[in-house]
């Protein structure tokens, strides 16, 4: 049964996600609410690892979630279910692109999709900030506003953002530096 659920959920995500991995995050976060496959905190780790290894981030995350949820076969099923809709859409689009390139309805639809994708990416940003920089569990347990902010994560975030703005380095440099900072600042 878990394999069918993985296939169904990741097929849906693959079918409706426009805009890449960031646009997929609200869908993935929703899975944490529907199923006990993984927690929001585990999702942040999966995202970090998915960004750190070669390949498309969204596919890496789908593989990771499937594997985490149902082992190697789960990883294969989640990945396959996720990529099939995109492959079919690209093949159909490639076949008919010249016929519909100037279609005003298609252009209008795509113009409407872009702001919706921007909204999904913005929601992904909000979810990432909430899962990474804030400690909702600590806040809700004690109703302590100081406990709401994850100070170590905020320091690493601020340092990484400043470094990214100042220096043009490969993203893996910042990911590795963030990991090292996390180790050095561990309680």
């Amino acid at each position: 049964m878990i394999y069918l659920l993985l296939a169904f959920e990741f097929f849906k995500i693959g079918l409706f996600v426009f805009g890449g991995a960031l646009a997929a995050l609200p869908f993935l976060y929703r899975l944490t609410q529907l199923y006990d496959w993984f927690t929001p905190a585990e999702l942040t780790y999966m995202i970090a690892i998915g960004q750190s290894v070669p390949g498309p981030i969204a596919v890496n995350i789908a593989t990771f979630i499937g594997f985490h949820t149902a082992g190697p076969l789960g990883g294969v099923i989640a990945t396959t279910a996720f990529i099939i809709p995109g492959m079919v859409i690209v093949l159909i689009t490639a076949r008919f692109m010249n016929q519909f390139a100037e279609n005003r309805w298609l252009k209008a639809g795509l113009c409407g999709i872009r702001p919706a994708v921007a909204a999904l990416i913005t929601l992904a940003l909000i979810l990432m900030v909430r899962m990474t920089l804030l400690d909702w569990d600590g806040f809700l347990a004690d109703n302590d506003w100081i406990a709401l902010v994850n100070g170590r994560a905020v320091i690493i975030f601020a340092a990484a953002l400043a470094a990214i703005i100042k220096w043009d380095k490969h993203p893996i440099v910042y990911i590795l530096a963030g990991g090292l900072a996390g180790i050095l600042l561990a309680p």
Side-chain angles (χ1 to χ4, degrees), residues 22-23 26 115-129:
L22 294 178
V117 168
L120 285 170
I121 292 171
T122 301
L123 177 60
L125 171 66
I126 292 166
L127 293 173
M128 285 297 296
V129 165

Side-chain angles (χ1 to χ4, degrees), residues 47-62:
I47 293 165
I49 292 169
Q51 292 176 324
S52 301
V53 298
I57 297 167
V59 174
N60 292 343
I61 294 170

Side-chain angles (χ1 to χ4, degrees), residues 107-185:
K107 283 183 176 183
L110 292 174
C111 282
I113 288 173
R114 282 193 301 254
V117 168
L120 285 170
I121 292 171
T122 301
L123 177 60
L125 171 66
I126 292 166
L127 293 173
M128 285 297 296
V129 165
R130 183 176 161 190
M131 291 185 289
T132 306
L133 303 180
L134 303 176
D135 180 5
W136 284 103
D137 294 334
F139 172 71
L140 294 175
D142 302 330
N143 203 17
D144 179 9
W145 285 95
I146 295 173
L148 177 62
V149 177
N150 180 337
R152 179 174 54 145
V154 170
I155 290 168
I156 294 169
F157 171 81
L161 183 60
I164 291 166
I165 291 169
K166 184 168 176 83
W167 297 295
D168 183 22
K169 301 291 181 194
H170 194 279
I172 194 70
V173 171
Y174 303 111
I175 292 168
L176 292 174
L180 180 60
I183 292 168
L184 295 175
L185 295 174

